[in-house]
Amino acid sequence: MACTPTAPAQNAPAVPGARMWGGRFSAGPAPEMDRLNRSLPVDRRLWRHDVAGSRAWAAALGAAGVIDPAEAADLRAGLDAVAARLESWSEADWAAAEDEDVHTLVERLLGDEIGPTAGKLHTGRSRNDQVATDFRLWALEAVKTLDAALRDVQLALVEQAQQHVATVMPSYTHMQRAQPVSAAHWLLSHAWPLARDRERLADAGDRVSVLPLGSGAIAGCPFPVDRVLLKESLGFRAVSPNSVDAVADRDWVAELLFVAAMAGVHLSRLAEDLVLFASSEFGFVRLSDRFSTGSSLMPQKRNPDALELARGKAGRLIGDLTGMLALLKGLPSGYNKDLQEDKPALFSAFDALTDVLPAVAGTIRSMTIDAARCAGAVDSAMLATDLADFLVREGVPFREAHGAVGRLVRAAEALGCPLSALPREVFVEVSREFAGADLDSLFSARASIEARASEGGTSPASVRTQIAALLGQI
């Protein structure tokens, strides 16, 4: 049954402000609603990507015959003018803009440049597929930036490792001295996790590189736009296969946040080692003045603030990931405004890492490792396993060898002397296989390191193999 309007539609008051909607509303949003809903202060950093996506969309509309070639050319030229204008904007210009979001801003400025033809740009397109496209374009650039920064920290670690293949130091388990290793081996133990971070980043990047543009608000585009051509022009790897999924998919955001959080955890563990090793209690490492700070009260203090901040940022990165997963878990299908919170999380993670990674790389490059202090921290008890290995080579089952050396350790503790200072008769009493042993060679830390020549071990040959492998990846 037909209804009769109480007043002509044309008499309805216009919704004030620059918005892409409003025809069915009789009033604009309340100031409180506008403040909550407005995303321009956050998504303004997508303006270049919005212009790029809009240029590609204008070309696709023209190629499909939805608009005529002259209009498509006007739209592209107008968007170029908008880009030039935004490139010159100051903070004051951005603060003065009252647009709801970056998409509305670009379209408004396009109207300033070319007039009513600007209204044809949004044909067949929704902000749902538009923002998903813009955000993915930004993320593809962010992946490259983060990969380069992770690579630089790896390279700094490898460069230090190349100088310390022969430097002996203790390794630790349960924060107790364990066995001697080369300092290079320890340094490379932090380079390999970053290699995994870069692998994960590249893998996630493949899933970022899926084009949602052409999905419309939820049901797809009603015009014969060539999405494969759009994919190629914007540099995406694939086209999204389902429009409902395409506008709501933020799995890739969660993946990138996981990569960021994992990298943050790896940086935090590296930082923790360096904070400990730079302390007076250890003294293995000296940090440069350029990456240290002082105390406002105590003149003697030398604080590893760059490393402590790296350690602290890891908590934020974990929080960004947790928040995104919580955001996604209860959403119904299709686009929901909750997803506006995706950008602050990923922008925050990106900003944190792009601040932290160069500072960590600089800290590593500029620090010095005290080889004598490292070697001095290796005591003879750390070679207990080598004594057991000697007995195994003499035919003693490992469990018996382990027990025999344990008795030697207990004897040294009882006498209050180093394991290497026990009289030979005590060794022979524990196991007759020690009778003809060269005990001095058994207590050589360098010999212990040389013996661990299996792939991935701490011997100089194994370490050089690791360095070559990492340099091949870097």
Side-chain angles (χ1 to χ4, degrees), residues 5-182:
T6 58
Q10 61 267 27
N11 292 336
V15 175
R19 293 180 178 83
M20 289 186 174
W21 51 272
R24 60 92 62 222
F25 288 82
S26 60
E32 298 86 352
M33 176 61 189
D34 187 61
R35 187 166 52 251
L36 174 63
N37 188 56
R38 189 168 175 267
S39 62
L40 183 62
V42 173
D43 62 29
R44 55 178 268 191
R45 69 200 289 174
L46 299 179
W47 73 260
R48 291 181 180 84
H49 313 93
D50 196 78
V51 169
S54 294
R55 287 189 91 262
W57 186 249
L61 290 175
V66 179
I67 58 177
D68 65 47
E71 290 172 326
D74 285 347
L75 288 170
R76 294 197 301 276
L79 287 163
D80 289 342
V82 169
R85 186 171 166 184
L86 289 173
E87 198 71 62
S88 67
W89 268 24
S90 65
E91 282 299 318
D93 293 318
W94 282 106
E98 297 181 353
D99 305 87
E100 182 180 342
D101 54 35
V102 69
H103 324 297
T104 312
L105 170 68
V106 168
E107 191 166 318
R108 175 174 66 80
L109 296 180
L110 181 61
D112 292 347
E113 297 291 338
I114 66 173
T117 303
K120 296 193 174 187
L121 177 62
H122 209 57
T123 304
R125 184 175 68 168
S126 165
R127 283 188 299 178
N128 296 356
D129 61 343
Q130 188 178 356
V131 69
T133 301
D134 294 354
F135 198 17
R136 285 176 184 260
L137 285 171
W138 175 88
L140 288 172
E141 293 179 1
V143 164
K144 293 177 183 177
T145 300
L146 288 179
D147 182 70
L150 287 165
R151 173 190 178 277
D152 197 44
V153 178
Q154 272 190 293
L155 186 58
L157 288 164
V158 171
E159 288 167 352
Q160 280 281 9
Q162 288 174 314
Q163 301 175 48
H164 291 284
V165 173
T167 299
V168 178
M169 69 177 290
S171 64
Y172 295 83
T173 66
H174 308 279
M175 272 311 298
Q176 307 293 313
R177 292 177 183 175
Q179 292 178 280
V181 296
S182 75

Side-chain angles (χ1 to χ4, degrees), residues 423-468:
R424 176 177 288 273
E425 54 266 27
V426 176
F427 282 87
V428 175
E429 181 183 335
V430 164
S431 180
R432 57 185 176 80
E433 280 75 14
F434 283 121
D438 180 356
L439 293 179
D440 288 340
S441 67
L442 289 181
F443 284 104
S444 166
R446 291 197 180 279
S448 174
I449 288 173
E450 289 277 1
R452 283 153 177 82
S454 59
E455 184 175 354
T458 189
S459 76
S462 297
V463 166
R464 290 190 184 96
T465 298
Q466 291 182 62
I467 290 171

Side-chain angles (χ1 to χ4, degrees), residues 132 135-140 143 201 203-212 236-237 252-253 255-256:
F135 198 17
R136 285 176 184 260
L137 285 171
W138 175 88
L140 288 172
V143 164
L201 186 61
D203 187 50
D206 281 344
R207 283 180 287 284
V208 174
S209 192
V210 176
L211 175 75
F236 283 91
R237 177 185 59 82
W252 60 273
V253 178
E255 283 192 71
L256 289 180

Side-chain angles (χ1 to χ4, degrees), residues 261 313-325 345:
K313 296 285 188 189
R316 267 185 55 196
L317 293 165
I318 294 167
D320 288 332
L321 170 61
T322 304
M324 178 54 55
L325 292 174

Side-chain angles (χ1 to χ4, degrees), residues 48 54 57 63 74 82 98 166 199 205 224 234 239 248 259 263 265 276 282 337 344 379 396 398 416-417:
R48 291 181 180 84
S54 294
W57 186 249
D74 285 347
V82 169
E98 297 181 353
E199 289 172 0
L234 289 171
V239 171
V259 174
V265 168
L276 286 173
F282 283 80
K337 200 59 175 276
D379 59 53
V396 178
F398 177 76
C417 69

Side-chain angles (χ1 to χ4, degrees), residues 314-404:
R316 267 185 55 196
L317 293 165
I318 294 167
D320 288 332
L321 170 61
T322 304
M324 178 54 55
L325 292 174
L327 172 72
L328 295 176
K329 75 167 186 63
L331 293 183
S333 60
Y335 181 83
N336 297 271
K337 200 59 175 276
D338 313 50
L339 293 175
Q340 189 162 288
E341 294 300 312
D342 59 357
K343 287 170 284 300
L346 193 54
F347 290 163
S348 170
F350 173 81
D351 292 345
L353 283 177
T354 52
D355 284 344
V356 163
L357 288 164
V360 172
T363 299
I364 294 165
R365 283 199 172 92
S366 60
M367 73 185 187
T368 55
I369 295 177
D370 187 333
R373 184 72 177 253
C374 288
V378 176
D379 59 53
S380 60
M382 296 173 62
L383 296 162
T385 304
D386 295 83
L387 297 180
D389 291 340
F390 167 79
L391 294 179
V392 167
R393 293 187 184 98
E394 295 296 310
V396 178
F398 177 76
R399 283 295 162 218
E400 290 182 23
H402 186 284

